[in-house]
mmCIF file of all heavy atoms in Angstrom:
data_model
loop_
_atom_site.group_PDB
_atom_site.id
_atom_site.type_symbol
_atom_site.label_atom_id
_atom_site.label_comp_id
_atom_site.label_asym_id
_atom_site.label_seq_id
_atom_site.Cartn_x
_atom_site.Cartn_y
_atom_site.Cartn_z
ATOM 1 N N LYS A 673 -36.932 -4.173 47.578
ATOM 2 C CA LYS A 673 -36.751 -3.336 46.397
ATOM 3 C C LYS A 673 -35.520 -3.769 45.666
ATOM 4 O O LYS A 673 -34.468 -3.945 46.199
ATOM 5 C CB LYS A 673 -36.698 -1.898 46.846
ATOM 6 C CG LYS A 673 -37.912 -1.325 47.491
ATOM 7 C CD LYS A 673 -38.008 0.135 47.358
ATOM 8 C CE LYS A 673 -39.158 0.793 48.082
ATOM 9 N NZ LYS A 673 -40.440 0.188 47.979
ATOM 10 N N LEU A 674 -35.713 -3.934 44.408
ATOM 11 C CA LEU A 674 -34.593 -4.281 43.536
ATOM 12 C C LEU A 674 -33.599 -3.186 43.341
ATOM 13 O O LEU A 674 -33.999 -2.061 43.072
ATOM 14 C CB LEU A 674 -35.174 -4.655 42.061
ATOM 15 C CG LEU A 674 -34.002 -5.005 41.055
ATOM 16 C CD1 LEU A 674 -33.373 -6.339 41.384
ATOM 17 C CD2 LEU A 674 -34.600 -5.008 39.703
ATOM 18 N N LYS A 675 -32.345 -3.497 43.667
ATOM 19 C CA LYS A 675 -31.269 -2.399 43.533
ATOM 20 C C LYS A 675 -30.519 -2.552 42.307
ATOM 21 O O LYS A 675 -30.122 -1.588 41.609
ATOM 22 C CB LYS A 675 -30.354 -2.560 44.772
ATOM 23 C CG LYS A 675 -31.076 -2.199 46.056
ATOM 24 C CD LYS A 675 -31.570 -0.779 46.035
ATOM 25 C CE LYS A 675 -32.354 -0.430 47.253
ATOM 26 N NZ LYS A 675 -32.967 0.890 47.165
ATOM 27 N N GLU A 676 -30.225 -3.772 41.885
ATOM 28 C CA GLU A 676 -29.516 -4.059 40.618
ATOM 29 C C GLU A 676 -29.702 -5.514 40.237
ATOM 30 O O GLU A 676 -29.983 -6.308 41.053
ATOM 31 C CB GLU A 676 -28.064 -3.682 40.698
ATOM 32 C CG GLU A 676 -27.232 -4.506 41.695
ATOM 33 C CD GLU A 676 -25.814 -4.065 41.802
ATOM 34 O OE1 GLU A 676 -24.990 -4.570 40.982
ATOM 35 O OE2 GLU A 676 -25.443 -3.230 42.642
ATOM 36 N N GLY A 677 -29.447 -5.787 38.898
ATOM 37 C CA GLY A 677 -29.634 -7.128 38.539
ATOM 38 C C GLY A 677 -28.761 -7.385 37.216
ATOM 39 O O GLY A 677 -28.549 -6.494 36.413
ATOM 40 N N THR A 678 -28.417 -8.647 37.060
ATOM 41 C CA THR A 678 -27.652 -9.100 35.923
ATOM 42 C C THR A 678 -28.222 -10.424 35.418
ATOM 43 O O THR A 678 -28.604 -11.261 36.280
ATOM 44 C CB THR A 678 -26.167 -9.251 36.188
ATOM 45 O OG1 THR A 678 -25.708 -8.068 36.812
ATOM 46 C CG2 THR A 678 -25.361 -9.507 34.957
ATOM 47 N N ILE A 679 -28.364 -10.607 34.093
ATOM 48 C CA ILE A 679 -28.837 -11.797 33.540
ATOM 49 C C ILE A 679 -27.905 -12.316 32.450
ATOM 50 O O ILE A 679 -27.263 -11.537 31.711
ATOM 51 C CB ILE A 679 -30.309 -11.586 32.861
ATOM 52 C CG1 ILE A 679 -31.246 -11.092 33.946
ATOM 53 C CG2 ILE A 679 -30.817 -12.859 32.285
ATOM 54 C CD1 ILE A 679 -32.649 -10.785 33.403
ATOM 55 N N TRP A 680 -27.719 -13.626 32.356
ATOM 56 C CA TRP A 680 -26.835 -14.268 31.369
ATOM 57 C C TRP A 680 -27.635 -15.256 30.579
ATOM 58 O O TRP A 680 -28.545 -15.849 31.079
ATOM 59 C CB TRP A 680 -25.719 -15.006 32.050
ATOM 60 C CG TRP A 680 -24.851 -14.110 32.850
ATOM 61 C CD1 TRP A 680 -23.708 -13.471 32.464
ATOM 62 C CD2 TRP A 680 -24.995 -13.733 34.268
ATOM 63 N NE1 TRP A 680 -23.152 -12.760 33.490
ATOM 64 C CE2 TRP A 680 -23.929 -12.920 34.633
ATOM 65 C CE3 TRP A 680 -25.823 -14.086 35.288
ATOM 66 C CZ2 TRP A 680 -23.741 -12.398 35.856
ATOM 67 C CZ3 TRP A 680 -25.723 -13.566 36.501
ATOM 68 C CH2 TRP A 680 -24.624 -12.714 36.815
ATOM 69 N N ASN A 681 -27.273 -15.343 29.342
ATOM 70 C CA ASN A 681 -27.988 -16.423 28.439
ATOM 71 C C ASN A 681 -27.233 -17.730 28.695
ATOM 72 O O ASN A 681 -26.318 -17.859 29.472
ATOM 73 C CB ASN A 681 -27.969 -15.986 26.958
ATOM 74 C CG ASN A 681 -26.559 -15.845 26.376
ATOM 75 O OD1 ASN A 681 -25.597 -16.418 26.842
ATOM 76 N ND2 ASN A 681 -26.529 -15.231 25.215
ATOM 77 N N GLU A 682 -27.768 -18.700 27.962
ATOM 78 C CA GLU A 682 -27.190 -20.096 28.248
ATOM 79 C C GLU A 682 -25.738 -20.231 27.749
ATOM 80 O O GLU A 682 -25.040 -21.208 28.145
ATOM 81 C CB GLU A 682 -28.009 -21.153 27.489
ATOM 82 C CG GLU A 682 -29.399 -21.270 28.165
ATOM 83 C CD GLU A 682 -30.290 -22.350 27.592
ATOM 84 O OE1 GLU A 682 -29.871 -23.501 27.601
ATOM 85 O OE2 GLU A 682 -31.425 -21.959 27.080
ATOM 86 N N ASP A 683 -25.263 -19.275 27.003
ATOM 87 C CA ASP A 683 -23.839 -19.322 26.531
ATOM 88 C C ASP A 683 -22.984 -18.548 27.560
ATOM 89 O O ASP A 683 -21.758 -18.495 27.331
ATOM 90 C CB ASP A 683 -23.708 -18.661 25.160
ATOM 91 C CG ASP A 683 -24.456 -19.492 24.091
ATOM 92 O OD1 ASP A 683 -24.534 -20.645 24.187
ATOM 93 O OD2 ASP A 683 -24.982 -18.784 23.152
ATOM 94 N N GLY A 684 -23.586 -18.002 28.582
ATOM 95 C CA GLY A 684 -22.789 -17.230 29.594
ATOM 96 C C GLY A 684 -22.581 -15.815 29.268
ATOM 97 O O GLY A 684 -21.889 -15.025 29.990
ATOM 98 N N ASN A 685 -23.250 -15.299 28.229
ATOM 99 C CA ASN A 685 -23.129 -13.879 27.866
ATOM 100 C C ASN A 685 -24.187 -13.120 28.567
ATOM 101 O O ASN A 685 -25.314 -13.489 28.602
ATOM 102 C CB ASN A 685 -23.280 -13.704 26.331
ATOM 103 C CG ASN A 685 -22.221 -14.493 25.554
ATOM 104 O OD1 ASN A 685 -21.003 -14.352 25.912
ATOM 105 N ND2 ASN A 685 -22.535 -15.193 24.544
ATOM 106 N N GLU A 686 -23.801 -11.831 29.023
ATOM 107 C CA GLU A 686 -24.802 -11.001 29.685
ATOM 108 C C GLU A 686 -25.795 -10.497 28.643
ATOM 109 O O GLU A 686 -25.482 -10.166 27.539
ATOM 110 C CB GLU A 686 -24.031 -9.885 30.262
ATOM 111 C CG GLU A 686 -24.931 -9.024 31.213
ATOM 112 C CD GLU A 686 -24.125 -7.965 32.013
ATOM 113 O OE1 GLU A 686 -22.942 -8.285 32.373
ATOM 114 O OE2 GLU A 686 -24.645 -6.889 32.209
ATOM 115 N N VAL A 687 -27.071 -10.495 29.069
ATOM 116 C CA VAL A 687 -28.173 -9.984 28.197
ATOM 117 C C VAL A 687 -28.941 -8.887 28.951
ATOM 118 O O VAL A 687 -28.729 -8.649 30.140
ATOM 119 C CB VAL A 687 -29.138 -11.121 27.844
ATOM 120 C CG1 VAL A 687 -28.396 -12.199 27.027
ATOM 121 C CG2 VAL A 687 -29.777 -11.748 29.088
ATOM 122 N N SER A 688 -29.826 -8.208 28.222
ATOM 123 C CA SER A 688 -30.567 -7.110 28.876
ATOM 124 C C SER A 688 -31.467 -7.675 29.988
ATOM 125 O O SER A 688 -32.019 -8.693 29.887
ATOM 126 C CB SER A 688 -31.494 -6.520 27.828
ATOM 127 O OG SER A 688 -30.781 -5.905 26.787
ATOM 128 N N TRP A 689 -31.488 -6.932 31.074
ATOM 129 C CA TRP A 689 -32.224 -7.329 32.235
ATOM 130 C C TRP A 689 -33.776 -7.223 31.981
ATOM 131 O O TRP A 689 -34.189 -6.336 31.222
ATOM 132 C CB TRP A 689 -31.888 -6.351 33.424
ATOM 133 C CG TRP A 689 -32.525 -6.845 34.674
ATOM 134 C CD1 TRP A 689 -31.988 -7.648 35.621
ATOM 135 C CD2 TRP A 689 -33.792 -6.434 35.207
ATOM 136 N NE1 TRP A 689 -32.838 -7.878 36.676
ATOM 137 C CE2 TRP A 689 -33.965 -7.113 36.443
ATOM 138 C CE3 TRP A 689 -34.831 -5.635 34.734
ATOM 139 C CZ2 TRP A 689 -35.143 -6.973 37.235
ATOM 140 C CZ3 TRP A 689 -35.935 -5.486 35.557
ATOM 141 C CH2 TRP A 689 -36.101 -6.199 36.733
ATOM 142 N N TYR A 690 -34.499 -8.115 32.554
ATOM 143 C CA TYR A 690 -36.026 -8.126 32.452
ATOM 144 C C TYR A 690 -36.498 -8.690 33.814
ATOM 145 O O TYR A 690 -35.769 -9.394 34.499
ATOM 146 C CB TYR A 690 -36.488 -9.016 31.292
ATOM 147 C CG TYR A 690 -35.919 -10.425 31.325
ATOM 148 C CD1 TYR A 690 -36.535 -11.432 32.062
ATOM 149 C CD2 TYR A 690 -34.879 -10.754 30.515
ATOM 150 C CE1 TYR A 690 -36.047 -12.683 32.064
ATOM 151 C CE2 TYR A 690 -34.382 -12.010 30.512
ATOM 152 C CZ TYR A 690 -34.946 -13.040 31.294
ATOM 153 O OH TYR A 690 -34.474 -14.313 31.267
ATOM 154 N N PRO A 691 -37.738 -8.237 34.216
ATOM 155 C CA PRO A 691 -38.267 -8.677 35.531
ATOM 156 C C PRO A 691 -38.520 -10.201 35.482
ATOM 157 O O PRO A 691 -38.790 -10.789 34.523
ATOM 158 C CB PRO A 691 -39.619 -8.016 35.605
ATOM 159 C CG PRO A 691 -39.708 -7.106 34.396
ATOM 160 C CD PRO A 691 -38.611 -7.358 33.478
ATOM 161 N N THR A 692 -38.397 -10.772 36.715
ATOM 162 C CA THR A 692 -38.685 -12.209 36.897
ATOM 163 C C THR A 692 -40.106 -12.494 36.542
ATOM 164 O O THR A 692 -40.420 -13.491 35.897
ATOM 165 C CB THR A 692 -38.429 -12.618 38.371
ATOM 166 O OG1 THR A 692 -37.049 -12.196 38.689
ATOM 167 C CG2 THR A 692 -38.592 -14.035 38.583
ATOM 168 N N GLU A 693 -41.057 -11.702 36.960
ATOM 169 C CA GLU A 693 -42.440 -11.852 36.707
ATOM 170 C C GLU A 693 -43.099 -10.584 36.279
ATOM 171 O O GLU A 693 -42.782 -9.509 36.757
ATOM 172 C CB GLU A 693 -43.156 -12.376 37.906
ATOM 173 C CG GLU A 693 -42.800 -13.757 38.347
ATOM 174 C CD GLU A 693 -43.581 -14.255 39.495
ATOM 175 O OE1 GLU A 693 -44.233 -13.463 40.223
ATOM 176 O OE2 GLU A 693 -43.631 -15.511 39.716
ATOM 177 N N GLU A 694 -43.951 -10.692 35.259
ATOM 178 C CA GLU A 694 -44.751 -9.480 34.748
ATOM 179 C C GLU A 694 -46.165 -9.952 34.700
ATOM 180 O O GLU A 694 -46.530 -10.948 34.212
ATOM 181 C CB GLU A 694 -44.249 -9.107 33.392
ATOM 182 C CG GLU A 694 -42.831 -8.533 33.270
ATOM 183 C CD GLU A 694 -42.481 -8.202 31.899
ATOM 184 O OE1 GLU A 694 -43.193 -7.364 31.245
ATOM 185 O OE2 GLU A 694 -41.482 -8.738 31.319
ATOM 186 N N ARG A 695 -47.039 -9.115 35.280
ATOM 187 C CA ARG A 695 -48.458 -9.349 35.301
ATOM 188 C C ARG A 695 -49.010 -9.076 33.919
ATOM 189 O O ARG A 695 -48.543 -8.145 33.240
ATOM 190 C CB ARG A 695 -49.112 -8.480 36.326
ATOM 191 C CG ARG A 695 -48.552 -8.816 37.765
ATOM 192 C CD ARG A 695 -49.176 -7.760 38.722
ATOM 193 N NE ARG A 695 -50.618 -7.946 38.982
ATOM 194 C CZ ARG A 695 -51.113 -8.749 39.894
ATOM 195 N NH1 ARG A 695 -50.364 -9.359 40.716
ATOM 196 N NH2 ARG A 695 -52.407 -8.829 40.004
ATOM 197 N N PRO A 696 -50.185 -9.710 33.581
ATOM 198 C CA PRO A 696 -50.846 -9.310 32.319
ATOM 199 C C PRO A 696 -51.390 -7.903 32.454
ATOM 200 O O PRO A 696 -51.680 -7.409 33.599
ATOM 201 C CB PRO A 696 -52.033 -10.279 32.295
ATOM 202 C CG PRO A 696 -51.747 -11.384 33.289
ATOM 203 C CD PRO A 696 -50.811 -10.782 34.291
ATOM 204 N N GLU A 697 -51.472 -7.300 31.333
ATOM 205 C CA GLU A 697 -52.010 -5.901 31.326
ATOM 206 C C GLU A 697 -53.015 -5.628 30.244
ATOM 207 O O GLU A 697 -52.767 -6.040 29.040
ATOM 208 C CB GLU A 697 -50.868 -4.853 31.230
ATOM 209 C CG GLU A 697 -51.304 -3.482 31.377
ATOM 210 C CD GLU A 697 -50.175 -2.411 31.366
ATOM 211 O OE1 GLU A 697 -49.507 -2.380 30.449
ATOM 212 O OE2 GLU A 697 -50.032 -1.812 32.458
ATOM 213 N N PHE A 698 -54.121 -5.019 30.551
ATOM 214 C CA PHE A 698 -55.151 -4.657 29.595
ATOM 215 C C PHE A 698 -54.527 -3.557 28.720
ATOM 216 O O PHE A 698 -53.745 -2.767 29.170
ATOM 217 C CB PHE A 698 -56.374 -4.088 30.323
ATOM 218 C CG PHE A 698 -57.553 -3.796 29.446
ATOM 219 C CD1 PHE A 698 -58.420 -4.773 29.080
ATOM 220 C CD2 PHE A 698 -57.735 -2.528 29.004
ATOM 221 C CE1 PHE A 698 -59.493 -4.494 28.270
ATOM 222 C CE2 PHE A 698 -58.795 -2.200 28.137
ATOM 223 C CZ PHE A 698 -59.695 -3.198 27.761
ATOM 224 N N PRO A 699 -54.847 -3.610 27.356
ATOM 225 C CA PRO A 699 -54.206 -2.503 26.502
ATOM 226 C C PRO A 699 -54.535 -1.171 26.999
ATOM 227 O O PRO A 699 -55.664 -0.764 27.185
ATOM 228 C CB PRO A 699 -54.915 -2.776 25.138
ATOM 229 C CG PRO A 699 -55.639 -4.069 25.251
ATOM 230 C CD PRO A 699 -55.723 -4.381 26.675
ATOM 231 N N GLY A 700 -53.501 -0.362 27.279
ATOM 232 C CA GLY A 700 -53.646 0.972 27.840
ATOM 233 C C GLY A 700 -53.586 1.071 29.378
ATOM 234 O O GLY A 700 -53.673 2.119 29.909
ATOM 235 N N GLY A 701 -53.490 -0.086 30.010
ATOM 236 C CA GLY A 701 -53.445 -0.143 31.489
ATOM 237 C C GLY A 701 -54.642 -0.131 32.268
ATOM 238 O O GLY A 701 -55.792 -0.306 31.692
ATOM 239 N N GLN A 702 -54.583 0.043 33.543
ATOM 240 C CA GLN A 702 -55.724 -0.086 34.495
ATOM 241 C C GLN A 702 -56.791 0.963 34.191
ATOM 242 O O GLN A 702 -57.994 0.675 34.254
ATOM 243 C CB GLN A 702 -55.156 0.070 35.875
ATOM 244 C CG GLN A 702 -56.195 -0.236 36.977
ATOM 245 C CD GLN A 702 -56.544 -1.769 37.036
ATOM 246 O OE1 GLN A 702 -55.780 -2.615 36.470
ATOM 247 N NE2 GLN A 702 -57.638 -2.131 37.612
#
């Protein structure tokens, strides 16, 4: 289970966190 995360851009600046992988989703969900 993810507890916390940090992401940096190529310039070394922190950016908004996003998941490593996201599955495709039908419009409106399952």
